[in-house]
Amino acid sequence: METVQDRFLRYVRFDTQSDENSDTCPSTPGQRTFGEALVDEMKAMGITDAHMDENGYIYGTVPGDPKLPTIGLIAHMDTSPDASGKDVQAKTVPYDGTDILLNEEKDIWLRSSDYPSLKENAGKHLIVTDGTTLLGADDKAGIAEIMTAAQSLMTTRMAHATLKIGFTPDEEIGRGADLFDVEKFAADYAYTVDGGPIGELEYENFNAASAKVDISGINIHPGAAKDKMVNSLLLAMEFQSLLPLHQRPESTEGYEGFFHLTDMEAP
Ligand SMILES: [Zn+2]
């Protein structure tokens, strides 16, 4: 049986970066390509009802004892729009607890001062990139885990509950749950496999809203600008400065809310 690690390394080669400026679902065609490969793989395992719906959501059932509650496992296929997920060069390295040089040529490091939890993994092997792309472990690690669990349940002779599998597109752009068919999924209990530390179980969710603010100014030659020019960039800076100074990600923790400026651009 293919290991969860080999499966993961195979999945990260699919470019499934989502795009918040796209109106389609999935937002990018790469997610559909990956989804089709997952359906083929599930069918090859004997998951006969595996399919992709018209919106690119994947569903499948590992049959089990109908007397037991039906369990659902969910993961998302897309990776964050914040960094490229194309041509991911993943490699497995032994980790001794010090900083990791990801890319000698570009001098890119993975530092434990930036990610203190790294140190907890000393003595293990880590899967890293060359620093120029995301790895996409969020959430292809979740998909690799669910697929490997499904495969062992399909081959075991032990009694087990029915497992419902759901893979969604576009979680990273806040649309993952929008077109998920809860009724069709039909699980009594379901878990999202998408997390950080080993053993962590989250039972609350983060809630966010976003705003896109367009500001139009009035442009005129600087020499004739008196009482006429309205500089949209300066207005944007003024707008941002009106938001509470200490309600930012770098100043908040726990349940404290924050405003997060993610992008500002001028034509
Ligand atoms: Zn995720």
Side-chain angles (χ1 to χ4, degrees), residues 76 138-139 171-172 194:
H76 64 91
D138 179 5
D139 189 19
E171 188 264 4
E172 297 286 355
D194 182 8

Side-chain angles (χ1 to χ4, degrees), residues 2-237:
E2 190 178 29
T3 65
V4 68
Q5 183 178 335
D6 288 341
R7 187 168 258 134
F8 173 73
L9 291 171
R10 195 155 53 74
Y11 293 166
V12 298
R13 287 201 288 270
F14 288 89
D15 178 6
T16 60
Q17 192 178 26
S18 47
D19 176 6
E20 53 203 341
N21 296 314
S22 158
D23 292 328
T24 60
C25 185
S27 64
T28 49
Q31 298 184 65
R32 208 174 266 281
T33 308
F34 182 39
E36 280 162 3
L38 289 172
V39 169
D40 288 347
E41 204 175 321
M42 286 158 84
K43 286 221 161 105
M45 286 179 198
I47 300 175
T48 49
D49 71 342
H51 67 284
M52 181 193 296
D53 75 5
E54 68 273 21
N55 300 308
Y57 288 65
I58 312 291
Y59 301 91
T61 310
V62 178
D65 185 343
K67 291 192 292 294
L68 296 171
T70 298
I71 304 297
L73 293 178
I74 300 164
H76 64 91
M77 295 181 281
D78 64 317
T79 62
S80 170
D82 292 338
S84 171
K86 194 169 184 267
D87 298 327
V88 172
Q89 303 294 322
K91 59 183 175 199
T92 307
V93 295
Y95 182 54
D96 61 7
T98 58
D99 294 343
I100 303 171
L101 178 57
L102 297 176
N103 192 317
E104 200 161 349
E105 196 188 324
K106 297 199 165 90
D107 195 35
I108 303 173
W109 291 77
L110 188 61
R111 295 186 197 280
S112 58
S113 54
D114 294 333
Y115 303 99
S117 64
L118 259 184
K119 284 212 180 296
E120 292 160 23
N121 296 296
K124 297 178 187 168
H125 283 77
L126 299 185
I127 301 173
V128 297
T129 65
D130 65 0
T132 62
T133 66
L134 285 181
L135 177 60
D138 179 5
D139 189 19
K140 284 169 184 153
I143 294 180
E145 284 159 0
I146 293 170
M147 290 292 274
T148 309
Q151 191 167 31
S152 41
L153 288 178
M154 288 300 291
T155 48
T156 184
R157 297 162 107 168
M158 278 175 11
H160 59 79
T162 299
L163 172 65
K164 292 281 184 175
I165 297 169
F167 296 137
T168 73
D170 294 333
E171 188 264 4
E172 297 286 355
I173 55 172
R175 300 181 202 160
D178 289 3
L179 297 171
F180 188 77
D181 192 335
V182 177
E183 229 158 274
K184 181 167 88 175
F185 193 57
D188 295 309
Y189 307 96
Y191 302 86
T192 298
V193 185
D194 182 8
I198 290 170
E200 177 189 66
L201 181 67
E202 291 189 10
Y203 50 86
E204 299 172 300
N205 71 300
F206 180 80
N207 186 13
S210 67
K212 187 170 180 239
V213 181
D214 286 312
I215 299 174
S216 311
I218 298 172
N219 201 8
I220 187 164
H221 189 282
K226 176 84 169 59
D227 295 332
K228 296 193 184 79
M229 181 184 275
V230 178
N231 189 321
S232 59
L233 279 173
L234 296 180
L235 277 180
M237 287 161 67

